[in-house]
Amino acid sequence: MKNQHAFILVCFCSGLFITWRTCHLTFQQVRQETTGSLMLRRQLCERLRAKYASIKAIKLTTQFSNDMKELMSCPWKTNITHKERYRVELYSSCNATDELILTKQNTFLGQNVTYDGERRIRVVDKSMLKMLPESTPWRTGGLLGRCAVVGNGGILKNSSCGSMINKADFVIRFNLAPIILSEDIGVKTSLITANPSQIKRSYPNMKKHRHRLANHLSLYGDAPLLMPAFAYRLCTGISFQVHQALLPLRPQQKVVFFNPNYLRELHHYWRQRGQRAFRLSTGLMLASVALELCEEVHLYGFWPFSVDLSQQKLSHHYYDNVGPRHRAHSMPREFLQLLKMHSMGAINLHIGKCQ
């Protein structure tokens, strides 16, 4: 009887050992397979980054869409060397830090302001100088932290990027884009731009429509309104009218004007790097500003194609399907530049769903 109990105990313990040994091998195999999968994943991400950091042209194909899906699912890695190289180059070439807008610090009475879009000069008089802020209204010293540059592309719809955008320290929006679909585009705004032609279409009589314009701008809080007053002659009058109309209604919301010298130098900077379009888009302009002024740059709503990564049709904007009246910009070529900078770790480009 005693020997029988000993035999049973030995068998029981042997069974436990075999079961433990089997499980232990299984855990090791799983760990090895997981480690192998992670290594393969990292290698795929590195190959994609290398590919799109040096690619010369892009075309919307199934392979490109699949690559973008994979690249967007790769953990983004900042590269301080590349990021700082762009910051230093942009500062030394264009200097958004001090010259992005016209201020009383960089503009003086009697100065000649040369338009960046045509051969025209305007002499700074007292009434114009009075419109200019003392200094750049959003500068507090140092870099602006994490910045979100929010484009208007239809790719933003159903992106769930709103909460990520709202967490940014500084949020830039374009062309009076409506604050709708907050779960996708967020609500926070630190700087908003307006195109004078857009103002002319939507508010043809500034005296009559100034309250409607003021109500629209209230959606952006007290964010300064940035306008290209000295791109073309027609832009000047419209920009000045906006400034004069809003001053008594929303004095806390500054209307500021692009410095045409800055835009001219920025155009030259990107032209040397392959951007041959007649004029840079507002998106590339402000992404460049963010590269110089911000510690970290995140771009949303930048996508130049009419279908998404799953080949589903997109509207031109997240709020309408109205395309540009003329092709002054080269959006695919600009996007290629942004994609290169993303792959190099200089900016973080978000396409599709936010992770």
Side-chain angles (χ1 to χ4, degrees):
M1 189 68 175
K2 188 174 181 180
N3 290 339
Q4 184 179 2
H5 287 163
F7 175 76
I8 292 173
L9 181 61
V10 168
C11 289
F12 177 72
C13 292
S14 298
L16 283 177
F17 175 77
I18 292 171
T19 302
W20 176 86
R21 178 67 177 165
T22 302
C23 290
H24 183 64
L25 289 173
T26 302
F27 289 148
Q28 280 187 331
Q29 290 170 345
V30 169
R31 190 181 297 111
Q32 289 172 353
E33 289 176 4
T34 301
T35 303
S37 297
L38 289 174
M39 289 181 63
L40 289 174
R41 181 69 186 159
R42 281 196 292 267
Q43 291 171 359
L44 172 62
C45 290
E46 290 301 325
R47 284 199 301 270
L48 287 172
R49 291 187 188 108
K51 175 180 178 179
Y52 287 101
S54 59
I55 197 166
K56 302 298 183 183
I58 53 174
K59 186 177 181 181
L60 186 61
T61 62
T62 301
Q63 181 62 55
F64 177 74
S65 295
N66 290 337
D67 281 355
M68 289 301 99
K69 285 181 184 178
E70 293 289 350
L71 185 60
M72 289 302 111
S73 66
C74 293
W76 182 72
K77 298 197 317 184
T78 185
N79 185 304
I80 295 176
T81 301
H82 289 307
K83 185 172 65 174
E84 290 303 313
R85 176 172 65 84
Y86 277 110
R87 189 197 311 286
V88 171
E89 286 180 356
L90 285 164
Y91 175 75
S92 61
S93 300
C94 313
N95 190 8
T97 304
D98 301 309
E99 301 292 335
L100 173 61
I101 66 170
L102 294 175
T103 69
K104 289 186 174 71
Q105 291 182 346
N106 61 29
T107 311
F108 56 87
L109 192 65
Q111 177 180 333
N112 288 338
V113 174
T114 304
Y115 286 62
D116 69 282
E118 63 183 3
R119 292 184 178 180
R120 179 173 293 276
I121 291 175
R122 185 181 180 99
V123 179
V124 178
D125 57 21
K126 289 182 179 179
S127 62
M128 176 181 159
L129 192 62
K130 189 177 180 180
M131 295 184 199
L132 306 183
E134 293 294 334
S135 60
T136 307
W138 54 84
R139 296 290 298 173
T140 57
L143 298 176
L144 292 175
R146 176 178 174 174
C147 294
V149 184
V150 185
N152 297 338
I155 195 74
L156 264 179
K157 292 175 74 172
N158 302 313
S159 66
S160 301
C161 291
S163 61
M164 190 179 293
I165 292 170
N166 287 337
K167 290 176 183 176
D169 299 301
F170 196 85
V171 180
I172 302 171
R173 301 184 189 273
F174 308 141
N175 298 335
L176 300 182
I179 304 297
I180 58 174
L181 307 175
S182 59
E183 66 277 10
D184 296 326
I185 72 159
V187 296
K188 185 175 183 178
T189 308
S190 309
L191 179 66
I192 181 73
T193 73
N195 192 314
S197 61
Q198 173 190 16
I199 295 289
K200 186 177 181 180
R201 286 195 306 271
S202 302
Y203 309 95
N205 187 329
M206 191 53 63
K207 288 185 178 180
K208 182 179 179 181
H209 299 143
R210 64 185 186 279
H211 288 283
R212 186 157 60 86
L213 175 59
N215 287 337
H216 183 97
L217 285 169
S218 68
L219 299 174
Y220 312 108
D222 294 340
L225 174 63
L226 177 59
M227 300 188 68
F230 301 100
Y232 301 97
R233 179 176 59 86
L234 292 175
C235 298
T236 309
I238 296 172
S239 300
F240 284 8
Q241 287 175 20
V242 170
H243 183 284
Q244 292 159 356
L246 291 177
L247 185 59
L249 299 177
R250 295 189 60 76
Q252 76 281 15
Q253 191 163 29
K254 305 299 182 184
V255 178
V256 295
F257 308 134
F258 269 115
N259 185 339
N261 291 338
Y262 172 80
L263 293 182
R264 194 161 36 249
E265 294 300 330
L266 185 66
H267 180 83
H268 180 67
Y269 174 86
W270 284 119
R271 191 168 183 81
Q272 289 182 317
R273 289 155 181 79
Q275 298 300 322
R276 303 294 181 183
F278 177 70
R279 194 167 180 83
L280 298 177
S281 71
T282 305
L284 184 55
M285 288 177 186
L286 273 298
S288 303
V289 171
L291 268 166
E292 182 182 334
L293 300 184
C294 305
E295 291 179 6
E296 195 174 302
V297 179
H298 293 254
L299 304 186
Y300 305 85
F302 286 75
W303 179 250
F305 305 111
S306 58
V307 296
D308 64 15
L309 297 182
S310 299
Q311 305 299 307
Q312 299 299 308
K313 194 167 184 179
L314 289 173
S315 58
H316 187 75
H317 299 123
Y318 68 82
Y319 50 86
D320 67 28
N321 198 29
V322 179
R325 292 187 176 184
H326 54 84
R327 299 286 178 181
H329 313 306
S330 178
M331 305 309 287
R333 183 172 288 275
E334 288 190 359
F335 179 79
L336 174 60
Q337 179 62 54
L338 299 175
L339 181 56
K340 284 183 177 182
M341 290 191 288
H342 171 90
S343 302
M344 293 164 61
I347 61 172
N348 193 341
L349 182 62
H350 300 267
I351 304 170
K353 292 280 188 182
C354 283
Q355 302 296 323

